[in-house]
Amino acid sequence: MADNEHYDVIIIGTGAGGGTLAHRLAPTGKRILILERGGYLPRERDNWESTAVFVKGKYRAPEFWYDKHGDSFPPEVNYYVGGNTKFYGAALFRLRPEDFGELRHHGGISPAWPIRYEDLEPYYTQAEHLYLVHGRHGEDPGEGEVSAQYAYPPVRHEPRIQQLSDDLEKHGLHPFHLPIGVNLTQDERGRATHESVCIRCNRVDGFPCLVRGKADAQVICVDPALEHANVHMVTGANVRRLETDPTGRSVGRVVAELEDGSTAGFSSDIVVVACGAVNSAALLLRSANEQHPGGLANTSDVVGRHYMRHNNLALMAVSKEPNDTQFQKTLALNDWYLGADDWDYPLGGIQMLGKSDSDQIRGEAPRWAGMASPDMPFEVLAHHAVDFWLCGEDLPQPENRVTLDGDGGIHLALDEKNNIEGLKRLQHKLQGMLGHLGMHPHHLLPHSLYLHKGMPIGATAHQAGTVRFGSDPRTSALDANCKAHDIDNLYVVDTSFFPSIGAVNPSLTAIANALRVGDHITERLG
């Protein structure tokens, strides 16, 4: 395939960053080309089958990366239109204002951003409205100031989760409705109405949505953007390198390998990279040339460094009473986000996961050998399961990095014990409350299958930080507008730009930032 047309903007990737940016730029009338490595996710029954999605990893990319010891592992990545948002849980949290400043953790310093919460706040509101986020600002006492309420009311708790919320409040805590992006209309009892796209099923976490009820980047942004005549997309286009012009100051050509094995080159005034934190760094490193021997945008030697992915735990408690909940992902708790009465450092946040089923639990059983597993059949255990996600901040360390070997293979070095004390204490807080929350107090089981974890490094869903932005070109790759310091027409808008990651899901921040950068690019294009 040869493409001789010159575009105004090329966007590489269609996830939370790239897909949202395409949506923002589409109404400008500028010539926009989207290059996506994958195709559209097949719509089939396996989309909602636990064995296919979690046990067999049917939709996971068939590739392997390497850890710092050279051992291979399957990363948690999916190459489809919509990127990893096809499989995200649509939990769309804002970072707190404190996350944008320097924060001292037990394990070190979380650095300040070159922009403030107030700079991103209007875009957070726009992002929440665009991605159909259901929630209620004001319930979480630690959240930042907001310019507008969510456009959609919170997803109502089902009885067992409402009881959990009530029990937490009795302990003086402040549970709140988890902000979640779903195309849901509820009746007075919280049930999905006849015209609602979302049906409030038990597949709302980690599964692609068969009925297009989850607010993912394909449904919300890419497909609507393609309705504009000036926007075009090539799927099956694996971008292999960016070539600069003779001055080395501008990307002149984007080179992609197509599905038929051929190579095509594309050109544009502006090139935007949004391949995911690992693959974006790999692309810039792979594009090294005479003017940029360390890779593009890498005079500072930070490209690939400071990789972050959160310190996460997926845990399953066992309720004394049956848990008939279908749509479980409706509650969160941030009381210990920045510290506790018995500890001065941040712990992180707790939120609900999608409801476990017997297939997931059967897949976990071998990992529970030797643990105090309840003496229940899988189906009974699944009926009593209550599933939690604990999220703590890991810290940007230069040694946690993406590199390439001589064959182009991706290597990911990671200190898996980075700042984990806060997460341990958060788990201890939850464990200590189980008896007061109607749970069996000694049964808090690791739910690692949920994360596609063959090994901890494989949990790459929240990857961030490898092409960080900042005000100093000596310590950052991008400026405050996410433009490369070294390259005049190169931007990065996925989670690569994060200098720190906070302790909430990064998607909404990536979406809000893409809207912000989209306004900047629109102004630049005139």
Side-chain angles (χ1 to χ4, degrees), residues 140-424:
D140 177 8
E143 70 176 349
E145 294 291 327
V146 300
S147 54
Q149 186 55 264
Y150 291 111
Y152 304 92
V155 180
R156 290 183 59 175
H157 300 315
E158 293 178 43
R160 182 64 188 90
I161 307 306
Q162 183 62 58
Q163 183 62 53
L164 174 61
S165 180
D166 294 344
D167 289 342
L168 289 167
E169 286 188 359
K170 290 175 185 175
H171 271 70
L173 300 173
H174 303 85
F176 60 96
H177 287 88
L178 186 153
I180 187 164
V182 284
N183 192 356
L184 171 68
T185 305
Q186 303 171 96
D187 65 17
E188 66 280 357
R189 295 173 59 186
R191 300 172 303 186
T193 62
H194 176 70
E195 68 274 12
S196 177
V197 177
C198 172
I199 59 175
R200 280 200 69 132
C201 70
N202 62 356
R203 305 286 90 175
V204 181
D205 203 354
F207 296 91
C209 184
L210 261 173
V211 298
R212 296 168 61 94
K214 180 166 68 174
D216 64 49
Q218 175 227 314
V219 171
I220 296 297
C221 289
V222 178
D223 289 352
L226 291 172
E227 295 176 4
H228 294 257
N230 55 301
V231 181
H232 306 277
M233 180 169 69
V234 178
T235 57
N238 184 1
V239 175
R240 303 304 301 161
R241 67 184 184 277
L242 307 177
E243 297 179 348
T244 58
D245 65 9
T247 70
R249 291 291 303 171
S250 180
V251 175
R253 190 165 178 259
V254 176
V255 181
E257 181 181 303
L258 305 182
E259 284 184 305
D260 62 4
S262 64
T263 298
F266 307 91
S267 66
S268 66
D269 292 340
I270 290 174
V271 174
V272 183
V273 174
C275 313
V278 172
N279 277 306
S280 287
L283 173 59
L284 298 179
L285 294 172
R286 205 163 51 230
S287 300
N289 57 29
E290 185 175 344
Q291 292 103 329
H292 302 276
L296 296 192
N298 201 25
T299 299
S300 59
D301 190 35
V302 302
V303 171
R305 296 187 183 272
H306 307 106
Y307 171 81
M308 299 169 287
R309 86 286 182 240
H310 278 140
N311 293 323
N312 292 321
L313 279 175
L315 298 168
M316 190 188 79
V318 181
S319 175
K320 294 176 181 177
E321 299 296 325
N323 180 14
D324 293 319
T325 304
Q326 293 294 305
F327 195 117
Q328 185 173 256
K329 202 175 172 72
T330 59
L331 181 144
L333 184 74
N334 277 343
D335 284 66
W336 303 298
Y337 191 91
L338 294 174
D341 54 2
D342 57 353
W343 211 50
D344 294 332
Y345 302 104
L347 280 71
I350 299 173
Q351 55 183 279
M352 305 308 297
L353 280 172
K355 183 72 178 68
S356 285
D357 61 29
S358 57
D359 289 338
Q360 293 175 37
I361 290 174
R362 186 175 290 107
E364 288 283 13
R367 294 180 174 85
W368 294 345
M371 300 182 65
S373 180
D375 186 19
M376 297 181 182
F378 292 135
E379 289 75 12
V380 176
L381 183 56
H383 195 195
H384 287 254
V386 180
D387 308 272
F388 296 92
W389 174 273
L390 279 61
C391 188
E393 181 169 0
D394 65 339
L395 301 175
Q397 298 180 345
E399 297 79 16
N400 289 349
R401 66 182 301 197
V402 178
T403 55
L404 303 177
D405 61 29
D407 297 322
I410 292 176
H411 290 246
L412 184 58
L414 177 64
D415 174 9
E416 294 166 14
K417 299 187 183 302
N418 171 9
N419 196 39
I420 61 173
E421 182 62 27
L423 186 67
K424 289 180 179 178

Side-chain angles (χ1 to χ4, degrees), residues 94 117 120-130 133-139 143-152 179 508:
R94 298 181 179 207
Y117 172 83
L120 202 57
E121 196 286 325
Y123 296 102
Y124 270 139
T125 294
Q126 294 173 34
E128 288 163 350
H129 293 181
L130 175 62
V133 182
H134 289 60
R136 182 178 292 130
H137 286 303
E139 292 183 334
E143 70 176 349
E145 294 291 327
V146 300
S147 54
Q149 186 55 264
Y150 291 111
Y152 304 92
L508 187 73

Side-chain angles (χ1 to χ4, degrees), residues 457-474:
I457 196 173
T460 58
H462 288 191
Q463 57 183 276
T466 57
V467 196
R468 61 186 350 198
F469 76 162
S471 56
D472 187 347
R474 296 171 298 179

